[in-house]
Amino acid sequence: ILITYDECLFYSNDDRPIIWAPLDKSSLRKKGQGKFIMISDFLLETIGKLKLTEQNSLLNPNTPSEARKYLNPGKNEKSWWTSKHLIDQVINYTIPIFEILYPNAVVVFTFDNSTNHGAMVKDVLNVINMNVNPEEKQVLMKSIFFGLNKTF
C-alpha cells in the first residue's frame, strides 16, 4: 500500500501583500513572514491521513492514534525538523499505525524532495557514491537484498 509523506510550513504572516487601510493613513506591515508551525504527515489514497479509528485507538492504547507531527521550529523555540525527527515519526508512529490498519499488507513509502530526506548512512548503496571509472576510489558499500536472497 502506497503511503506518501509531506511536510508543510504555515506562517503567521502568510498572506497577500495587499491590505485594507484608510487612504489618508499609511500602514506598516511586518517585514518577515513571522513565526510558523511545521506539520509532517503521511497520507494514503484509501483513508487520507494515516490515523487510527476511534475503535482501533481503544483496542491499541499503547499505539499513537495518528502519524501527524507538529513542530514550532526557529529561534527560541524547539529545534528544526531533522532526519532524526523523521525517523522517529516513521518508526514510532507511522509503522505501528499502518500495521494495525493493514496487518497483512506491505507498505511502500514515497517522500517528497526535502534535503532532510537525503540523510543516510555512509555505506548505503547510492548512485551518487559510485564511480564512472573502475580505478577511482570509492566508499565500500553494503550489499542490498531484493526478493528471494538476490544480492546486488
Side-chain angles (χ1 to χ4, degrees):
I1 296 176
L2 180 68
I3 294 183
T4 60
Y5 169 80
D6 200 13
E7 59 198 31
C8 190
L9 300 174
F10 295 93
Y11 290 88
S12 59
N13 297 328
D14 191 13
D15 57 357
R16 296 178 58 190
I18 300 169
I19 61 170
W20 290 92
L23 292 175
D24 59 338
K25 295 187 179 189
S26 63
S27 61
L28 295 175
R29 295 184 52 83
K30 294 188 177 190
K31 288 184 178 182
Q33 290 180 303
K35 288 183 142 190
F36 62 96
I37 185 171
M38 195 208 93
I39 298 176
S40 172
D41 208 355
F42 289 87
L43 307 168
L44 290 88
E45 184 178 13
T46 54
I47 61 170
K49 296 182 291 186
L50 181 63
K51 63 179 182 176
L52 295 177
T53 63
E54 191 174 324
Q55 182 181 5
N56 280 333
S57 290
L58 293 172
L59 294 172
N60 301 281
N62 295 328
T63 302
S65 60
E66 66 177 348
R68 177 181 290 170
K69 299 296 285 178
Y70 299 91
L71 188 71
N72 293 318
K75 193 171 146 184
N76 301 325
E77 298 290 340
K78 293 183 181 179
S79 66
W80 295 94
W81 187 256
T82 66
S83 59
K84 290 180 183 179
H85 289 105
L86 180 60
I87 291 167
D88 175 67
Q89 184 181 14
V90 170
I91 292 172
N92 297 314
Y93 295 81
T94 308
I95 292 174
I97 293 170
F98 179 84
E99 289 176 340
I100 290 169
L101 296 175
Y102 305 99
N104 297 317
V106 174
V107 63
V108 175
F109 287 106
T110 58
F111 293 89
D112 64 6
N113 196 24
S114 169
T115 55
N116 187 19
H117 308 147
M120 55 190 80
V121 294
K122 293 177 189 174
D123 57 352
V124 69
L125 184 58
N126 186 340
V127 71
I128 294 171
N129 297 331
M130 295 180 182
N131 293 325
V132 176
N133 299 317
E135 59 272 354
E136 294 180 36
K137 292 181 179 179
Q138 73 179 35
V139 177
L140 182 61
M141 294 178 279
K142 291 182 179 178
S143 297
I144 293 183
F145 298 93
F146 292 99
L148 302 171
N149 298 325
K150 296 180 182 176
T151 305
F152 294 93

